[in-house]
Amino acid sequence: GAVAPGRGPRPRPRGVVACGALLRQRHTAEACVAAAGWPMACIETDADFDEYTHEDLFSCLEPPWSDWAATAAHLRTVENPRRTFHELFERALKAWLAGGAGTGQSWAQFRSRCSAALQRVVARLGSGESAVVVSSGGAIAAMLQPLLDVPDARVPALHSAVFNASITQLLTRGDAVSAFVSDSLDDHVKFMFDDGSGDMVRRDYTPRRFDRA
């Protein structure tokens, strides 16, 4: 990665820098490490931070849509592909969270896999050390769900609050995660509702104040 003129690479960070095995996760991790001036060799790959797959979600539908090529072909035949995909995604996510038996991993398995990856990182941190983990929205929601004690039915709202390039900060005590703070680059509240004609309307609001209670 690029280093600012006149400066050599900074020492390896005190802690852990990790990302999933997906290419987009690796690219994001490399961009972060380059901006920090750390050596690229500090990035560790753990596939348990990977996002869920198309098959995980869409194979829970009836009839199943586990074949992405078939799904894409169907979307090309409808009048509003974006809206149709959004409807399919919402149905699939709801079915998956409800324990739908598809051909991929279940939500419980996905959540357990992501949470285990997080705990492995936390267990390696010493006093004063930090970790940088690059993952994806679904995986982040899966890791946060047990920490925030969010029921499965509310996971879609948690999932939709994680945006591209957002930052989620977790504080630890010993080998346990003790608190959650969102430092998203675009912290806001997102509302989605039907406008009465069948179209989905989205409204974003930035709160003036946040009361955790």
Side-chain angles (χ1 to χ4, degrees):
V3 178
R7 294 171 54 187
R10 297 177 184 175
R12 182 186 178 94
R14 292 188 61 215
V16 179
V17 178
C19 68
L22 299 178
L23 191 59
R24 62 182 183 271
Q25 296 171 336
R26 177 73 190 192
H27 285 170
T28 302
E30 289 176 349
C32 292
V33 165
W38 297 332
M40 287 293 166
C42 74
I43 302 175
E44 302 176 16
T45 300
D46 186 341
D48 283 347
F49 285 119
D50 284 5
E51 183 63 291
Y52 51 71
T53 68
H54 176 86
E55 181 182 2
D56 292 337
L57 258 68
F58 286 81
S59 64
C60 294
L61 289 174
E62 186 58 46
W65 291 82
S66 54
D67 184 353
W68 169 244
T71 304
H74 169 70
L75 293 175
R76 287 194 291 268
T77 67
V78 299
E79 182 177 353
N80 192 330
R82 183 184 295 272
R83 176 181 166 187
T84 300
F85 177 79
H86 181 75
E87 291 173 347
L88 284 172
F89 177 83
E90 286 192 328
R91 284 174 48 207
L93 182 58
K94 183 177 180 180
W96 195 40
L97 291 168
T103 56
Q105 62 185 335
S106 68
W107 167 253
Q109 291 170 331
F110 175 70
R111 179 182 58 207
S112 177
R113 182 251 284 174
C114 296
S115 295
L118 175 63
Q119 289 299 333
R120 286 197 297 272
V121 168
V122 171
R124 292 173 54 193
L125 297 178
S127 177
E129 293 186 335
S130 300
V132 176
V133 176
V134 177
S135 188
S136 299
I140 294 171
M143 289 183 274
L144 294 181
Q145 184 192 8
L147 300 180
L148 300 177
D149 196 23
V150 174
D152 288 345
R154 298 298 300 163
V155 167
L158 181 62
H159 190 337
S160 65
V162 181
F163 289 81
N164 290 337
S166 65
I167 300 172
T168 300
Q169 180 181 353
L170 299 175
L171 307 180
T172 64
R173 291 177 181 171
D175 60 355
V177 179
S178 61
F180 161 71
V181 178
S182 173
D183 286 334
S184 171
L185 300 178
D186 53 359
D187 274 341
H188 60 286
V189 179
K190 185 174 198 176
F191 293 95
M192 295 181 287
F193 52 90
D194 195 307
D195 67 355
S197 65
D199 289 329
M200 188 65 66
V201 177
R202 295 172 171 80
R203 294 290 183 268
D204 298 317
Y205 299 91
T206 300
R208 294 178 181 271
R209 182 174 60 87
F210 174 69
D211 184 354
R212 187 177 296 275

